[in-house]
Amino acid sequence: MNLTDPPRLLAVGGAHIDRRGRLDAPHIPATSNPGRMREDVGGGIFNAARMAGRRGVAVSLLSLRGGDAAGDTVARAIEEAGFEDLSATFLDRATPSYTAILDHDGELITGLADMTLYDMAFARQMRRSKAREAASRATAILCDANMPAEAVAQLAAIRGTAPLYAIAVSPAKAGRLVPHFADLAALFLNAREARGLAGLETGAPVRQAVDSLRGLGLRAGVITEGSRAVTVFDGESHWHIEPPLVETVLDVTGAGDALTGATIAALMRGLPLQEAAREGVAASGLAIASAAAAPEFDDSAFNAALARVPAPRSVS
């Protein structure tokens, strides 16, 4: 790598069809609800990587897709994002997808993940020379829990000196990362996922979850909790960052991924975790105010959003 080249992120995990249905009125269970369905390419890794790319990072993306029309759509989106595409295509398989149903305020009602291909084939991909070579070139590596535990272990083994970051994805999948906490430079997750990993009940203090996660070997993390303060911890330090009010919430899907991507881009520029997470909170606000999971913005818009985010507050 030349000294003038941008830092390179190897992003490994979900890049798939993302469907988001939003209701026109309050949700009525067990009946037909009028609304609108939107379909594009998303996935935790792809969304985070797009945000990192918009913050000046070069991206190599490794995912899995089928040999169907949806797979072609995913491939085009990766190309349009300007990423190096290291993904494998399985001609006899369906491309993974995620379908989210949102209420009329943009909050998630339920989600359906159809991702058998990830469970079946990610571990095999991590054993290939393409993955090892990409890891050797990376400044940092980001994965998500769409990968089975075996694949995460293999990725950790080939990462060399690059820090490895991870996205929890969901309470159902986050447990895959626990055996590899010692390998992670930081984990990005929401409060529900944090409590689930810590074995705590709904409503337990996030600080209690942090203590439990540290006990499990996690060195650092960023925990979101909707509109409440973002919790950042690193070593023995602990901070809160208050998200500014977003007047118009269009879609919360992808907000955590946007936070992850912008935070990692800032970490790759050398910022400490709490300051990098402040940039992540700004990116999250832009995502929430946009109908797209990866919003378009210029430096001026990002700097304006960042100016609204208060400094991290140390918590004793």
Side-chain angles (χ1 to χ4, degrees), residues 15 64 72 83 105 112 134 137 140 144 177-178 205 212 246 249 255 260 268 315:
L64 309 175
D72 293 339
F83 299 163
D105 292 322
L112 189 154
R137 293 187 289 117
D144 67 22
L177 299 171
V178 174
S212 296
V246 177
V249 176
T260 299
M268 293 171 74
V315 179

Side-chain angles (χ1 to χ4, degrees), residues 206-271:
V206 171
R207 179 58 183 265
Q208 188 176 348
V210 169
D211 293 340
S212 296
L213 293 175
R214 281 173 167 156
L216 291 171
L218 186 64
R219 298 193 302 271
V222 179
I223 304 174
T224 61
E225 193 173 13
S227 61
R228 298 182 181 181
V230 174
T231 296
V232 183
F233 65 96
D234 185 2
E236 296 302 315
S237 300
H238 188 161
W239 300 269
H240 281 167
I241 303 174
E242 297 291 341
L245 176 66
V246 177
E247 294 183 358
T248 303
V249 176
L250 292 182
D251 191 345
V252 300
T253 306
D257 301 333
L259 183 149
T260 299
T263 300
I264 287 176
L267 288 168
M268 293 171 74
R269 298 200 316 271
L271 289 184

Side-chain angles (χ1 to χ4, degrees), residues 15-17 63-74 88-97 114-122 124-125:
H16 47 253
I17 297 299
S63 189
L64 309 175
R65 56 181 175 258
D68 49 13
D72 293 339
T73 299
V74 172
T89 301
F90 293 78
L91 297 179
D92 60 341
R93 297 285 176 171
T95 297
S97 67
D114 181 3
M115 300 182 180
T116 304
L117 181 58
Y118 292 157
D119 293 332
M120 179 194 78
F122 253 126
R124 189 192 328 168
Q125 298 306 309

Side-chain angles (χ1 to χ4, degrees), residues 230-232 238-242 272-279 281 306 309-315:
V230 174
T231 296
V232 183
H238 188 161
W239 300 269
H240 281 167
I241 303 174
E242 297 291 341
L273 181 60
Q274 73 275 19
E275 293 297 335
R278 181 171 170 264
E279 296 202 6
V281 172
L306 182 60
V309 181
R313 174 171 54 87
S314 179
V315 179

Side-chain angles (χ1 to χ4, degrees), residues 1-306:
M1 181 188 300
N2 296 324
L3 293 178
T4 56
D5 289 341
R8 178 163 294 274
L9 175 68
L10 172 60
V12 187
H16 47 253
I17 297 299
D18 195 1
R19 303 182 184 94
R20 296 190 301 283
R22 182 164 178 168
L23 305 188
D24 292 334
H27 177 232
I28 302 174
T31 189
S32 176
N33 288 264
R36 293 148 290 148
M37 182 68 74
R38 174 179 178 144
E39 179 176 300
D40 55 21
V41 178
I45 281 297
F46 186 55
N47 290 338
R50 281 190 290 185
M51 181 58 73
R54 286 171 187 164
R55 296 299 296 149
V57 171
V59 176
S60 300
L61 189 141
L62 197 163
S63 189
L64 309 175
R65 56 181 175 258
D68 49 13
D72 293 339
T73 299
V74 172
R76 285 194 300 272
I78 294 172
E79 181 180 7
E80 289 168 0
F83 299 163
E84 178 186 27
D85 188 5
L86 305 176
S87 304
T89 301
F90 293 78
L91 297 179
D92 60 341
R93 297 285 176 171
T95 297
S97 67
Y98 176 72
T99 302
I101 303 299
L102 311 174
D103 67 17
H104 71 300
D105 292 322
E107 296 294 331
L108 182 67
I109 296 173
T110 191
L112 189 154
D114 181 3
M115 300 182 180
T116 304
L117 181 58
Y118 292 157
D119 293 332
M120 179 194 78
F122 253 126
R124 189 192 328 168
Q125 298 306 309
M126 293 302 98
R127 293 192 291 267
R128 294 188 169 176
S129 59
K130 183 192 313 186
R132 292 194 299 272
E133 194 275 333
S136 71
R137 293 187 289 117
T139 309
I141 301 173
L142 173 66
C143 70
D144 67 22
N146 284 311
M147 302 171 63
E150 179 187 356
V152 178
Q154 290 166 343
L155 180 58
I158 66 174
R159 67 185 172 88
T161 59
L164 175 62
Y165 303 98
I167 306 172
V169 174
S170 72
K173 294 182 178 181
R176 298 173 171 185
L177 299 171
V178 174
H180 314 292
F181 273 1
D183 297 312
L184 299 182
L187 175 63
F188 294 82
L189 66 170
N190 62 35
R192 186 181 176 198
E193 292 157 353
R195 294 184 182 109
L197 289 173
L200 301 174
E201 294 183 358
T202 301
V206 171
R207 179 58 183 265
Q208 188 176 348
V210 169
D211 293 340
S212 296
L213 293 175
R214 281 173 167 156
L216 291 171
L218 186 64
R219 298 193 302 271
V222 179
I223 304 174
T224 61
E225 193 173 13
S227 61
R228 298 182 181 181
V230 174
T231 296
V232 183
F233 65 96
D234 185 2
E236 296 302 315
S237 300
H238 188 161
W239 300 269
H240 281 167
I241 303 174
E242 297 291 341
L245 176 66
V246 177
E247 294 183 358
T248 303
V249 176
L250 292 182
D251 191 345
V252 300
T253 306
D257 301 333
L259 183 149
T260 299
T263 300
I264 287 176
L267 288 168
M268 293 171 74
R269 298 200 316 271
L271 289 184
L273 181 60
Q274 73 275 19
E275 293 297 335
R278 181 171 170 264
E279 296 202 6
V281 172
S284 177
L286 290 170
I288 290 170
S290 170
E296 299 280 354
F297 57 85
D298 57 18
D299 286 345
S300 176
F302 185 85
N303 290 336
L306 182 60

